[in-house]
Amino acid sequence: MHALDSTPLHQLYQAHSGWLKTWLRTRLGNTADAADLAQDTFLRVLAARNAEAIREPRTYLSSIARALMIDRFRRQAVEQAYLDVLALRPEPMDISPETRLLIIETLTEVDAMLDNLGERTRTIFLAVQLEGLSYVAAGERFGVSVTTVKKHMIRALTNCLLLAQG
């Protein structure tokens, strides 16, 4: 018997990897994606170094796997939106696979950052940045003071800067 065979992580993997792959396959409808996400789930457990402390393995593993599925769906939605915008361009763009990957990763990070801002902050930020509303106009639209708009903008822009420094 190999020394790693008795580690808590190995025991967790042996006992629950088959179940997790089946659980994921029923949600994803794809064996290959289910295997990939199951592997990613156990990599997260490995990185957390807490396999021996897990008391409810299936609940814990499904929670990690669910978060990974959400990340995957979000990334696919962002990628599809990007491809849709490219398809609308009058002339095709020649983008290398490396550049395309960087663009998709950046858009996914921006999407996640926006999602974490909170509804009011995100709405105000997008109205100012995308629609070009002034702070006064944003305040009028959302029924808040200009000072409140400024606070939301500072919060959003701070998150943008942190993402850019990332």
Side-chain angles (χ1 to χ4, degrees), residues 12-23 38-39 42 61:
L12 181 72
Y13 185 84
Q14 288 296 107
H16 300 285
S17 65
W19 168 84
L20 183 60
K21 288 176 194 172
T22 301
W23 185 87
Q39 212 52 37
F42 282 101
L61 293 170

Side-chain angles (χ1 to χ4, degrees), residues 52-123:
E52 65 282 344
I54 299 170
R55 299 290 169 243
E56 300 282 337
R58 290 186 177 187
T59 301
Y60 184 77
L61 293 170
S62 63
S63 176
I64 293 171
R66 189 174 290 112
L68 290 170
M69 275 192 301
I70 290 168
D71 290 348
R72 179 173 283 209
F73 293 144
R74 170 178 276 142
R75 181 182 174 88
Q76 288 171 342
V78 167
E79 186 169 0
Q80 188 58 55
Y82 171 70
L83 293 173
D84 292 346
V85 168
L86 281 183
L88 295 175
R89 294 187 52 84
E91 68 252 2
M93 292 183 64
D94 187 26
I95 299 174
S96 73
E98 295 83 11
T99 301
R100 181 174 176 229
L101 180 63
L102 286 173
I103 290 169
I104 298 299
E105 286 177 359
T106 301
L107 289 172
T108 302
E109 289 174 1
V110 169
D111 180 58
M113 184 273 300
L114 289 171
D115 194 47
N116 289 328
L117 284 180
E119 183 66 31
R120 168 77 41 108
T121 301
R122 179 177 51 253
T123 303

Side-chain angles (χ1 to χ4, degrees), residues 152-165:
H152 285 290
M153 289 302 294
I154 289 169
R155 184 178 302 134
L157 292 169
T158 299
N159 279 289
C160 289
L161 287 172
L162 291 171
L163 180 63
Q165 292 175 350

